[in-house]
Amino acid sequence: MNDSSWGAPPRGGPWGPPDQGYHPGFAPAAPAGPAYDGHEAQQTRPMPIVPDVPAGGDTGGDQDDRDRGTAPLSGPPFRHEMPQPAQAPYDQQPPYAPQPRPEDPQEPMPSSPSGAPQPAEQPGPQRKQKKRAGRDLRAAIGVGVGLGAVIVASLFVVKAVFVGVIAVAVVVGLWELTSRLQERKSIKAPLVPLAVGGAAMVVAGYVRGPEGAWVAMALTALAVLVWRMTEPPEGYLKDVTAGVFAAFYVPFLATFVALMLTADDGAWRVLTFLLLTVVSDTGAYAVGWRFGKHKLAPRISPGKTREGLLGAVAFAMAAGALCMEFAIDGGAWWQGLLLGLAVAASATLGDLGESMIKRDLGIKDMGTLLPGHGGIMDRLDSLLPTAPVVWLLLVVFVGTG
């Protein structure tokens, strides 16, 4: 068998002279080097002789090949075994200029063929106006007109029907308040005694006057204490405290609307109360939206401004003067100015108080029953604390009627 057969390598080992032909399983031939002793060739692996590479010269591959230690497809064989050229001193190397990454948020990618970065999108006037408005005005106006029609129709047709409207609003408001307390604070104010006692409180105020309202309030608080005893004692104090607070905040304050209704001109008194509160809220919104710059209570309600408060006072005083002069028997315009000032103050405080409750609960609205408004409690926030103020001032100015 000759040297070029499959069974034996060519003379000189696998790195023999190139004229011996191709042998499968062995590396390609390299330039001839010095002779080695046969015995030493069996014990050690001879290193090939490669051309010298001048320092700093081109080696036929890129920097990535040198870093990975792999040879490129072209160039001298066995690149990975070649000595690397000496590195230039650090101060003589070209400065490293990092390339921007596509995912870098500070360097926007060009969106045009020219490669020029596009300017960031600026919010337009329409987006800013939506942010300032905050609600669906069409839905809010539609719901407000519908509620106004129901109130006026029941108020001037049959007074007892309007008392029923107050009782329904009270029960729904209590349901919203107790539901949010349980969801957000795990406070279980008993709804059943609150709903029954709240409706009875409104009816008692209309039938028996202030004394009936106070008695119903006391019995409702007692019912809350007893009802809660049917459950485990854990959390009893906070549950009954929240229940008594809810009984006072919603039905008891609403009872003063029923007390206004008992007068001979009770329908006009209630209408004056509703108009002044709505006008105060509208004036605060309109003036604050157009001219508001100085925050009234930024930690409680960031949307309210001092300019809006002045608008509420001006609108309510003007409406109060007109209502006392033309709608209330025995009223005078100057009394309407005082009444409007008091309504603007109580409505603003009531709105801020409701905002405090919602901020503590971590919610925006008490409910979703009224599109564009939120829940019933979101519409009662200004009305509830204003009712006793208007009732008291009307009693002082023109009597109980």
Side-chain angles (χ1 to χ4, degrees):
M1 185 179 295
N2 56 24
D3 294 337
S4 59
S5 64
W6 289 85
R11 292 187 179 92
W15 294 279
D19 58 351
Q20 295 184 7
Y22 171 75
H23 300 275
F26 299 95
Y36 291 91
D37 183 78
H39 177 74
E40 292 179 356
Q42 298 178 3
Q43 302 296 327
T44 61
R45 179 184 180 186
M47 296 299 294
I49 302 301
V50 296
D52 293 335
V53 180
D58 185 10
T59 59
D62 56 10
Q63 182 64 35
D64 293 336
D65 293 331
R66 292 194 298 272
D67 295 339
R68 292 191 299 264
T70 59
L73 297 179
S74 62
F78 308 105
R79 268 288 306 278
H80 59 285
E81 297 182 0
M82 291 172 54
Q84 299 297 325
Q87 295 287 343
Y90 180 78
D91 54 355
Q92 297 181 10
Q93 294 183 6
Y96 174 71
Q99 298 297 325
R101 297 180 299 173
E103 65 272 12
D104 192 354
Q106 286 77 19
E107 188 71 22
M109 296 297 294
S111 57
S112 62
S114 61
Q118 298 298 322
E121 181 182 358
Q122 300 295 333
Q126 184 177 2
R127 183 180 299 179
K128 183 178 181 181
Q129 182 177 358
K130 288 183 178 180
K131 184 178 181 181
R132 293 289 298 272
R135 294 185 184 274
D136 188 350
L137 293 181
R138 292 185 178 180
I141 293 174
V143 171
V145 171
L147 290 176
V150 172
I151 290 173
V152 171
S154 61
L155 188 60
F156 287 94
V157 175
V158 181
K159 290 183 178 180
V161 175
F162 184 73
V163 174
V165 172
I166 300 174
V168 171
V170 163
V171 172
V172 176
L174 286 171
W175 169 71
E176 290 180 348
L177 180 59
T178 55
S179 298
R180 303 296 88 76
L181 288 175
Q182 183 171 358
E183 292 173 0
R184 310 298 297 185
K185 296 292 185 179
S186 300
I187 298 177
K188 300 179 180 179
L191 178 60
V192 174
L194 285 174
V196 175
M201 207 179 302
V202 173
V203 175
Y206 178 73
V207 175
R208 303 295 298 178
E211 295 81 4
W214 279 110
V215 172
M217 172 65 193
L219 293 177
T220 302
L222 181 61
V224 168
L225 297 175
V226 175
W227 190 279
R228 180 57 181 78
M229 291 180 182
T230 60
E231 298 183 8
E234 290 76 15
Y236 177 82
L237 183 59
K238 67 177 183 179
D239 292 346
V240 298
T241 302
V244 174
F245 163 75
F248 174 82
Y249 181 49
V250 183
F252 182 75
L253 294 181
T255 302
F256 287 92
V257 182
L259 293 177
M260 286 186 244
L261 196 61
T262 58
D264 296 336
D265 58 346
W268 290 103
R269 295 192 182 196
V270 173
L271 185 60
T272 298
F273 152 70
L274 295 175
L275 283 177
L276 292 185
T277 307
V278 172
V279 167
S280 174
D281 290 344
T282 304
Y285 174 82
V287 176
W289 182 83
R290 181 65 180 85
F291 303 102
K293 295 181 179 179
H294 303 86
K295 302 296 184 181
L296 179 63
R299 297 183 61 183
I300 302 175
S301 182
K304 290 181 174 54
T305 61
R306 300 175 187 177
E307 293 81 4
L309 177 60
L310 295 178
V313 171
F315 278 56
M317 291 180 69
L322 294 175
C323 289
M324 289 298 294
E325 184 69 26
F326 300 104
I328 304 300
D329 296 337
W333 64 269
W334 63 268
Q335 295 172 342
L337 295 178
L338 297 178
L339 182 63
L341 177 61
V343 167
S346 61
T348 302
L349 291 176
D351 201 353
L352 290 176
E354 181 80 2
S355 297
M356 280 286 288
I357 296 174
K358 292 188 289 187
R359 190 166 289 274
D360 185 26
L361 296 176
I363 59 178
K364 178 177 176 59
D365 295 320
M366 281 290 186
T368 58
L369 186 62
L370 304 177
H373 293 270
I376 289 291
M377 286 300 300
D378 296 299
R379 295 300 90 200
L380 297 179
D381 53 0
S382 300
L383 295 170
L384 290 175
T386 304
V389 173
V390 174
W391 174 80
L392 178 61
L393 289 178
L394 290 177
V395 169
V396 172
F397 290 153
V398 296
T400 58

